[in-house]
Amino acid sequence: MTESFNTLKQKALTELQGVDSAEALESWRVAWLGKKSELTAVLRGLGTLPVEERKAVGAQANVVREELEAALEARESELANAQMSMAGDIDITLPGRPWLAGRLHPVTRIVNEISDIFSSLGFSIVEGPEVELDRYNFDALNIPKEHPARDTMQTFWVDDGAPKEARHTLLRTHTSPMQVRFMEKYKEPPFRIVVPGRVYRYEATDASHLPMFNQVEGLMVDKDVSFADLKGTLYEFARRFFGPNRKVRFRCDFFPFVEPGVEMAIECASCRGAGCRVCGNSGWLEILGAGMVHPNVLKGVGIDPEIYTGFAFGIGVERLPMLRYGVDDIRLFYSNDLRFLRQF
Ligand code: 2U9
């Protein structure tokens, strides 16, 4: 009996080696392990055997059945793997790939950090459209047509169907249009908002300029808001962002939407004030402009400048991570080089 089990097993296993498809595998299973197989016939016939023989034969038959089942399973996965390799889907010999953990872009993190600081000072965060009307981007901000300030903000005009000279649609050059929209909508001060977002300027690219960059602009309007509030707020921002030891400088500047206007600069991190390529040899990096909101801007949205005053500021966001991490070329942020981005 042992002999014939061995023969059966050998025959079945040899045949299994030749099986090369799912259908052939199923036929093999039916032939060698199915209801009408030799092995099943032996197991069924056990009852006719004398008791002593029944036990031994039954045990042997079960061992063979288990061996054949295991061989079937092994062949099945061999065939599945071979099929996948042939299709070129997968190389099962390669080690698994580790999952890459995503993270926020360094500029996004800085935008969030700035927003959080102003949020903790009582400002609400507001966002607005990147495609704007020139009425909001220029006219409402005290920059009428032919005003020279329009030259400093060369613009990407959007084809809105009008002839080229009569277009009114553009990619916003700053986020200020949203402050105008906000005041127009909510009418009655007090307002304290910051508007983060992308802005666009049609200008040549270099180590400190890109045609797209991020701003966080802020606006506070209320009764009795003074220049001291402006300075106090922006000093506090600089202190929280850069720490208490970084030097800060305020100087007079001009922006059509504020009067008076100032520029706030921070000591250059790359050269510590000595002068280098990043800061154009001045030792200082201008990080924001600010000023008291121009009475014309308030009047334009129906707010009486005799009753209310306000201050506003604009931060060029990319400069801040450049300062903090000593990055000397703004283009690195947007070249999709993971070797650079993974450092943050
Ligand atoms: C309203 C009124 C006034 C926002 C301001 C600046 C000064 C400024 C620059 C900083 C670097 C632009 O990104 S940058 O190149 N911004 O200098 N921005 S005051 O003034 C406003 C805004 C909205 C209604």
Side-chain angles (χ1 to χ4, degrees):
M1 204 37 141
T2 311
E3 191 54 38
S4 60
F5 272 131
N6 266 339
T7 316
L8 180 145
K9 189 174 92 179
Q10 285 316 321
K11 261 176 80 181
L13 291 179
T14 311
E15 217 175 275
L16 186 62
Q17 283 312 306
V19 163
D20 59 0
S21 69
E23 297 77 42
L25 201 65
E26 178 56 12
S27 308
W28 183 91
R29 192 193 63 75
V30 171
W32 294 102
L33 291 163
K35 281 186 199 144
K36 293 181 182 160
S37 67
E38 254 181 81
L39 203 57
T40 310
V42 171
L43 287 164
R44 282 225 182 98
L46 283 178
T48 63
L49 292 176
V51 181
E52 342 51 273
E53 243 183 279
R54 193 185 299 171
K55 260 192 165 174
V57 174
Q60 282 183 46
N62 274 326
V63 169
V64 172
R65 194 185 55 189
E66 277 165 23
E67 282 176 346
L68 292 187
E69 279 169 355
L72 171 73
E73 214 172 281
R75 186 73 188 136
E76 197 169 23
S77 66
E78 259 174 41
L79 285 176
N81 285 338
Q83 213 173 14
M84 275 200 275
S85 305
M86 273 190 317
D89 290 345
I90 198 167
D91 177 351
I92 55 160
T93 66
L94 280 177
R97 288 195 197 129
W99 283 85
L100 291 179
R103 70 191 85 180
L104 293 177
H105 189 279
V107 171
T108 306
R109 289 198 1 230
I110 297 289
V111 168
N112 292 348
E113 196 178 325
I114 300 169
S115 302
D116 285 350
I117 292 175
F118 284 106
S119 198
S120 75
L121 294 173
F123 288 74
S124 304
I125 316 296
V126 180
E127 287 179 301
E130 292 174 21
V131 178
E132 261 294 358
L133 296 172
D134 59 352
R135 183 163 82 77
Y136 287 112
N137 195 84
F138 291 129
D139 303 76
L141 288 156
N142 204 29
I143 314 174
K145 273 204 171 50
E146 315 307 333
H147 190 290
R150 289 206 186 194
D151 291 342
T152 66
M153 292 192 212
Q154 292 295 328
T155 307
F156 290 106
W157 290 93
V158 174
D159 185 355
D160 53 11
K164 232 175 181 173
E165 295 311 310
R167 283 180 186 165
H168 291 293
T169 316
L170 48 79
L171 297 185
R172 67 181 179 188
T173 60
H174 42 194
T175 65
S176 337
M178 189 54 209
Q179 278 101 298
V180 177
R181 287 176 180 275
F182 187 94
M183 289 193 286
E184 234 179 40
K185 182 168 176 192
Y186 293 101
K187 293 187 174 70
E188 276 297 309
F191 304 132
R192 248 187 293 180
I193 56 169
V194 289
V195 188
R198 285 183 203 160
V199 301
Y200 302 84
R201 298 202 185 164
Y202 182 63
E203 57 187 13
T205 298
D206 62 28
S208 51
H209 294 89
L210 281 177
M212 184 287 300
F213 61 99
N214 283 266
Q215 281 190 335
V216 175
E217 284 201 336
L219 172 77
M220 174 173 181
V221 181
D222 201 349
K223 285 177 183 153
D224 301 322
V225 173
S226 73
F227 200 84
D229 296 308
L230 177 156
K231 279 190 97 174
T233 305
L234 296 179
Y235 261 129
E236 182 58 15
F237 163 71
R239 201 184 65 77
R240 292 205 200 172
F241 192 88
F242 296 102
N245 300 322
R246 185 62 73 85
K247 282 187 194 155
V248 174
R249 181 188 75 181
F250 278 104
R251 291 203 307 194
C252 298
D253 204 345
F254 171 80
F255 307 99
F257 24 87
V258 290
E259 181 57 35
V262 290
E263 147 223 290
M264 188 169 102
I266 211 107
E267 190 182 25
C268 178
S270 296
C271 62
R272 286 279 155 192
C276 66
R277 187 165 80 104
V278 181
C279 56
N281 283 323
S282 71
W284 294 94
L285 266 170
E286 190 189 318
I287 55 157
L288 63 85
M292 301 306 291
V293 179
H294 198 288
N296 288 351
V297 174
L298 294 176
K299 265 187 247 164
V301 291
I303 293 173
D304 185 347
E306 297 296 327
I307 302 173
Y308 292 105
T309 49
F311 70 82
F313 57 88
I315 302 172
V317 173
E318 282 78 356
R319 299 212 167 196
L320 302 196
M322 289 176 83
L323 276 167
R324 179 178 280 177
Y325 307 121
V327 175
D328 65 359
D329 193 325
I330 191 171
R331 291 168 289 199
L332 286 165
F333 288 116
Y334 300 108
S335 50
N336 279 339
D337 187 339
L338 290 181
R339 291 169 306 174
F340 172 76
L341 294 173
R342 281 209 187 103
Q343 298 177 93
F344 303 101

